[in-house]
């Protein structure tokens, strides 16, 4: 749904090193380096902040870099398109800090360790999810810092007129209504427990079919806006719903996992109290609504992520 826009600082040597890293299929600390996991946390004065290359990740990376610079660190940003590339680079110390999503990253590390069919460890409970995530991250030389208030998780929206007509505010309301619902989503929604199967099991929603138009895409939203579909799978930081006359239904039984935003750092280079304190300044401030607003400024208003990030932090008195 979200695409990378704006400018990205790149370091040629680091980008080349990442290619070597990937070609070498690095999968975490080697046996001879396992001792580094319990070594004292490092405090490198120049840090590389990784972005996953979509708008929200770019914004978070920009904010992390600005907060680190404010605390006296040198910081640059490297955009790496997917987790398969940036996570090994984080383990090796070629990237020092990345913004992550607690439940998603926990399940990703779990699958990396135990196989693609491993039972998921992410859950709707934040404390349970964080314990699982830290248990999986620590042996890889990674430290997971404290989450803040902002969460970006799956969310479901309907037309505002449809919600008003049927008195819908929550997913439970939709289940109780007995309405037949065609869902605009990605094709994987048919099988994923937090999508169509979960909506049926947890909420009793009568999902008659999944229209494979993607997660939160313009095409999917237009299908709901026009009445072809009744509900769309999007995310909780989607700031474009008003443009399509859509409203979110509350996940009142907590079907979705706790995908709170958390900084993950390479312990040996960025595991210090100074880094944690610098990034932790964002925790009591940044909200899900703030993220949605910033996403909109980049995606709809065509502002650069670095400008939006700086304006936000200045507005909150953090710079």
């Amino acid at each position: 749904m979200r695409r990378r826009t704006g400018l990205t600082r790149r370091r040629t040597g680091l980008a080349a090193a990442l290619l070597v890293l990937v070609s070498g299929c690095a999968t975490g600390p080697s046996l001879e380096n396992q001792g580094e996991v319990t070594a004292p946390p490092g405090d490198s004065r120049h840090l590389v902040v990784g972005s996953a290359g979509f708008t929200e990740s770019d914004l978070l990376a920009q904010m992390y870099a600005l907060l680190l610079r404010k605390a006296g660190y040198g910081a640059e940003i490297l955009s790496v398109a997917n987790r398969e590339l940036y996570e090994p680079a984080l383990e090796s110390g070629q990237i020092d800090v990345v913004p992550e999503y607690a439940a998603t990253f926990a399940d990703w590390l779990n699958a990396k360790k135990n196989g693609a069919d491993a039972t998921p460890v992410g859950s709707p409970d934040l404390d349970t999810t964080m314990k699982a995530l830290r248990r999986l991250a620590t042996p890889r030389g990674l430290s997971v810092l404290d989450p803040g208030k902002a969460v970006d998780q799956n969310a479901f929206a309907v037309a505002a007129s449809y919600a008003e007509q049927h008195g819908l505010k929550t997913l439970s309301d939709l289940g109780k209504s007995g309405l037949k619902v065609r869902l605009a989503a990605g094709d994987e929604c048919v099988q994923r427990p937090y999508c169509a199967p979960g909506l049926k099991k947890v909420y009793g929603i009568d999902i008659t079919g999944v229209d494979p138009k993607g997660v939160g895409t313009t095409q999917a939203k237009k299908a709901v806006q026009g009445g072809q579909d009744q509900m769309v799978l999007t995310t909780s930081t989607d700031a474009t719903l008003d443009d399509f006359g859509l409203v979110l239904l509350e996940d009142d039984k907590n079907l979705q996992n706790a995908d709170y935003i958390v900084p993950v750092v390479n312990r040996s280079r960025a595991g210090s109290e100074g880094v944690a304190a610098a990034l932790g300044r964002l925790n009591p401030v940044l909200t899900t609504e703030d993220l949605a607003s910033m996403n909109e400024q980049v995606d709809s208003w065509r502002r650069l992520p670095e400008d939006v990030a700086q304006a936000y932090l200045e507005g909150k008195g953090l710079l």
Side-chain angles (χ1 to χ4, degrees):
M1 181 181 73
R2 292 156 295 191
R3 294 292 183 266
R4 174 164 51 95
T5 59
L7 304 175
T8 304
R9 294 185 179 87
R10 291 180 179 272
R11 190 167 66 194
T12 303
L14 179 55
L18 282 174
L19 292 177
V20 173
L21 172 68
V22 174
S23 65
C25 298
T27 56
S30 60
L31 291 176
E32 61 269 27
N33 292 328
Q34 286 289 336
E36 295 179 9
V37 171
T38 55
D43 193 30
S44 174
R45 305 310 295 177
H46 186 90
L47 301 172
V48 176
V49 181
S51 165
F54 58 90
T55 296
E56 187 167 287
S57 188
D58 282 348
L59 285 164
L60 290 164
Q62 292 288 348
M63 286 190 284
Y64 286 6
L66 287 166
L67 290 169
L68 288 168
R69 291 171 193 149
K70 174 70 173 178
Y73 294 87
E76 64 178 296
I77 294 171
L78 181 73
S79 182
V80 183
N82 59 62
R83 193 175 279 113
E84 286 76 10
L85 294 178
Y86 72 68
E87 192 278 333
L90 182 64
E91 289 187 26
S92 71
Q94 291 170 300
I95 292 175
D96 304 305
V97 185
V98 294
E100 264 295 355
Y101 301 90
T104 295
F105 196 44
D107 284 338
W108 195 87
L109 289 179
N110 186 45
K112 187 174 182 179
K113 177 183 178 182
N114 299 311
D117 295 329
T119 301
V121 295
S123 81
D125 182 76
L126 179 59
D127 289 341
T128 300
T129 296
M130 288 296 295
K131 287 177 183 177
L133 175 54
R134 285 172 167 152
R135 184 174 64 249
L136 289 160
T138 298
R140 295 185 174 277
L142 306 179
S143 292
V144 182
L145 305 185
D146 290 339
K149 297 187 292 185
V151 57
D152 187 354
Q153 58 193 174
N154 287 344
F156 297 91
V158 299
S161 57
Y162 181 84
E164 183 177 0
Q165 178 184 356
H166 299 289
L168 307 177
K169 293 184 178 180
T170 68
L171 290 171
S172 287
D173 291 339
L174 183 56
K176 292 174 183 176
S177 73
L179 293 165
K180 295 185 181 299
V181 175
R182 181 172 164 88
L183 176 63
D187 53 9
E188 70 278 3
C189 178
V190 174
Q191 296 181 325
R192 292 200 172 173
Y194 307 110
C195 201
L199 291 172
K200 294 177 181 178
K201 180 179 180 180
V202 175
Y203 289 107
I205 297 173
D206 186 1
I207 303 293
T208 60
V210 173
D211 188 3
K213 285 183 164 57
V215 179
T217 62
T218 296
Q219 185 184 21
K221 291 172 192 171
K222 284 185 175 179
V224 176
Q225 182 184 39
Q228 177 184 341
D229 299 328
Q230 287 71 51
M231 188 161 67
V232 59
L233 168 63
T234 183
T235 67
S236 57
T237 59
D238 186 342
T240 67
L241 295 178
D242 285 346
D243 297 340
F244 297 91
L246 306 181
V247 294
L248 291 178
L249 295 182
E250 181 187 351
D251 179 22
D252 53 307
K253 292 185 179 179
N254 297 317
L255 171 64
Q256 302 306 318
N257 277 344
D259 259 332
Y260 284 76
I261 292 163
V262 292
V264 182
V265 304
N266 178 288
R267 176 182 168 85
S268 66
R269 287 184 49 81
S272 68
E273 291 184 4
V275 171
L279 299 180
R281 296 178 66 207
L282 197 58
N283 287 357
V285 175
L286 184 66
T287 66
T288 303
E289 293 74 20
D290 291 342
L291 263 184
S293 175
M294 285 189 280
N295 284 334
E296 181 182 29
Q297 291 177 56
V298 175
D299 289 337
S300 297
W301 303 357
R302 302 304 179 191
R303 296 186 62 194
L304 295 176
E306 50 263 50
D307 294 340
V308 174
Q310 180 155 346
Y312 177 79
L313 293 180
E314 288 176 348
K316 296 296 183 180
L318 296 180
L319 290 183

